Amino acid sequence: MRVDAVTLFPGMIDAPLSDSIVGRARAEGYLELGFVNPRDFTEDRHRTVDDKPYGGGTGMVMMAEPVYRALKKVRKKNSFVILLTPKGRKFDQAAALELAGKKHLIFICGHYEGIDERVTPLADLELSIGDYVLTGGEPAAVAVIDAVTRLIPGVLKKSDATVNETFTGGLLEAPHYTRPGVWRGKKVPEALLSGNHKLIAEWRAAQAGELTGRARPDLAKEKAAKKPARAAKRTAQ
Ligand code: ADE
């Protein structure tokens, strides 16, 4: 997959995506990550990219033209353009799966108070990573690119690593344990030591249901609403 970021601060995205799994995905060619800086598309002596907001107010607003030109430089026919903004659709695992199916993603990262509103129609999707305000779209781009990259086939070496995980089935994942079997007096649950795959799967399903109901009742409710009628009847008995 090819990903480009339109950003005034490429280092804010490049550095955190250089280590670990995503760093390896880049080195192995699963993810090609490029940057284009609106500042390189200015024509004045000061390479101005922002200005005061019309109508007054604090902070600066990124000007439309340098962003437009930067986007034009990298946009192709099959590009899917995402504008990161707290006003966008809330990012979740379903959105990550959708984006993982695209050939080319372009992230437009606002900074300061945001970008001139007239840039918005250039994007296919406005995306938010949560109900809080970041210093810019860059940390949001990092989160989205990370979540999408691990879904690219081949990036995670165990092919089923993304099948049973948290959110994919609409539930939180059952807890994990590793050696030692007893740590500071705390034992690993018996079922996990049994070697019985059916028992382990049942234990994990029960844990996932219990944990989701306790920690994220909103997800549990959503999952119950999506159950086919027959299954819902069975649980009601
Ligand atoms: N830019 C600033 N805050 C943001 C957020 N929560 N999500 C996406 N982009 C942002």
Side-chain angles (χ1 to χ4, degrees):
M1 173 186 276
R2 170 89 199 173
V3 173
D4 285 286
V6 175
T7 171
L8 295 172
F9 302 99
M12 286 180 75
I13 301 174
D14 190 25
L17 296 178
S18 292
D19 278 329
S20 180
I21 294 167
V22 181
R24 198 184 62 216
R26 289 172 73 181
E28 292 177 354
Y30 291 103
L31 171 68
E32 258 182 277
L33 182 56
F35 303 97
V36 57
N37 194 330
R39 203 174 287 284
D40 295 335
F41 298 84
T42 53
E43 281 171 359
D44 65 311
R45 203 157 55 88
H46 299 291
R47 306 178 76 207
T48 310
V49 290
D50 58 357
D51 209 333
K52 287 179 289 202
Y54 275 118
T58 52
M60 298 290 270
V61 177
M62 279 172 70
M63 296 189 300
E65 184 63 15
V67 173
Y68 170 76
R69 291 187 186 182
L71 177 62
K72 202 164 165 225
K73 174 91 183 170
V74 289
R75 190 172 205 166
K76 307 273 180 322
K77 268 212 188 81
N78 67 359
S79 306
F80 189 78
V81 179
I82 298 158
L83 177 65
L84 293 157
T85 161
K87 292 181 260 182
R89 166 183 162 188
K90 192 89 69 73
F91 184 62
D92 59 12
Q93 192 66 16
L97 281 157
E98 276 173 48
L99 297 182
K102 308 281 184 199
K103 290 252 178 322
H104 182 207
L105 300 178
I106 302 175
F107 291 91
I108 303 177
C109 304
H111 220 86
Y112 314 119
E113 285 306 300
I115 310 177
D116 188 307
E117 186 64 25
R118 290 167 290 184
V119 159
T120 303
L122 301 176
D124 298 301
L125 176 68
E126 291 175 74
L127 200 59
S128 163
I129 63 160
D131 291 339
Y132 40 81
V133 181
L134 300 163
T135 55
E138 289 81 3
V142 169
V144 176
I145 296 167
D146 183 290
V148 169
T149 301
R150 63 190 290 290
L151 296 174
I152 299 172
V155 167
L156 296 184
K157 296 307 169 200
K158 284 225 177 93
S159 61
D160 68 348
T162 64
V163 173
N164 289 322
E165 68 188 359
T166 293
F167 299 121
T168 299
L171 293 176
L172 301 177
E173 212 179 357
H176 300 292
Y177 298 85
T178 189
R179 287 190 293 180
V182 182
W183 175 75
R184 294 186 178 253
K186 291 179 193 290
K187 285 189 193 151
V188 172
E190 281 298 328
L192 297 179
L193 306 173
S194 69
N196 179 334
H197 295 301
K198 187 166 171 278
L199 186 70
I200 292 169
E202 283 168 1
W203 181 87
R204 285 187 170 147
Q207 288 287 315
E210 191 276 323
L211 174 63
T212 309
R214 180 160 41 84
R216 291 290 305 275
D218 57 319
L219 286 180
K221 228 170 133 186
E222 222 175 281
K223 170 97 177 166
K226 277 189 193 148
K227 257 189 195 162
R230 211 147 35 93
K233 220 194 248 163
R234 214 181 303 127
T235 47
Q237 281 167 358

